[in-house]
Amino acid sequence: MKEKWMTTWKAFEENHQKLSKWVYQIFYFFVFSMGVTVFQYLVFTFMPGMLGMELAGTEFMWPQKEMRILGVDFTWSLLGYNVLRDASGAVVIGGGLGYFISYEVGSFLAQCINFPLQRNITFKSKGNPVYQAMWYFIAWIVISLICNGFNNLWMPIASAYVPPAVYNLLVTFITGGVSMVIFFFVFKIIFPEGEPDKK
């Protein structure tokens, strides 16, 4: 079965070189991205509880803009998250500084795993790794800010209507989905295939 598949793939590569390269890159990009997305989900789910109620109840938001969407009052920010409270007003795990730290740590560690996999396997790039890591880091910051701003529009509403496990799935896959599409084309730029090592 494996030999038949490899023969079919080799024939496809020979007849459709550009298309086969895109198929290869999209396949491995998706597999590695999904792998780190699962990793991020685990961090988003368990780390806020490990950090405790004090950080969950500590507000950290910048800038702060009061908003009301679908009957839910919340404060929008580019960085940080609302403190989440239950119906009685008690702080619950899943917001505040604790969630912000968990989100950033999970996202950063995921990129540390993702960078060598995408560079060396998906795009087979031979470019300067320091230069590429610098641009990857800049892209991650910019994309994170975009995703944070977007997330902070819908996350307070979702937290009011869905349980925490579903909430974390939504955060993970919506954020991952948006950033995956952007990152693929960023990678095509910063990981040129076959570029000689720069001294």
Side-chain angles (χ1 to χ4, degrees), residues 13-31:
E13 272 188 314
E14 290 173 6
N15 296 325
H16 308 281
Q17 291 183 4
K18 288 186 178 179
L19 179 60
S20 65
K21 182 184 284 187
W22 275 85
V23 169
Y24 172 91
Q25 290 177 344
I26 289 171
F27 173 77
Y28 278 100
F29 174 79
F30 181 78
V31 169

Side-chain angles (χ1 to χ4, degrees), residues 64-77 82 152-158 160-161:
Q64 297 187 356
K65 182 173 175 58
E66 299 302 320
M67 300 188 78
R68 181 180 179 84
I69 299 176
L70 299 176
V72 177
D73 293 313
F74 64 94
T75 305
W76 177 86
S77 68
N82 287 65
N152 284 344
L153 285 174
W154 68 266
M155 282 171 57
I157 300 163
Y161 294 107

Side-chain angles (χ1 to χ4, degrees), residues 141-193:
I141 290 174
V142 172
I143 293 168
S144 292
L145 288 173
I146 292 169
C147 288
N148 284 348
F150 174 68
N151 280 345
N152 284 344
L153 285 174
W154 68 266
M155 282 171 57
I157 300 163
S159 68
Y161 294 107
V162 299
V166 176
Y167 171 82
N168 284 329
L169 275 174
L170 289 171
V171 172
T172 303
F173 286 103
I174 291 177
T175 302
V178 171
S179 61
M180 259 195 349
V181 172
I182 300 171
F183 262 126
F184 181 80
F185 293 100
V186 169
F187 289 166
K188 289 290 284 182
I189 296 168
I190 67 173
F191 294 147
E193 303 97 79

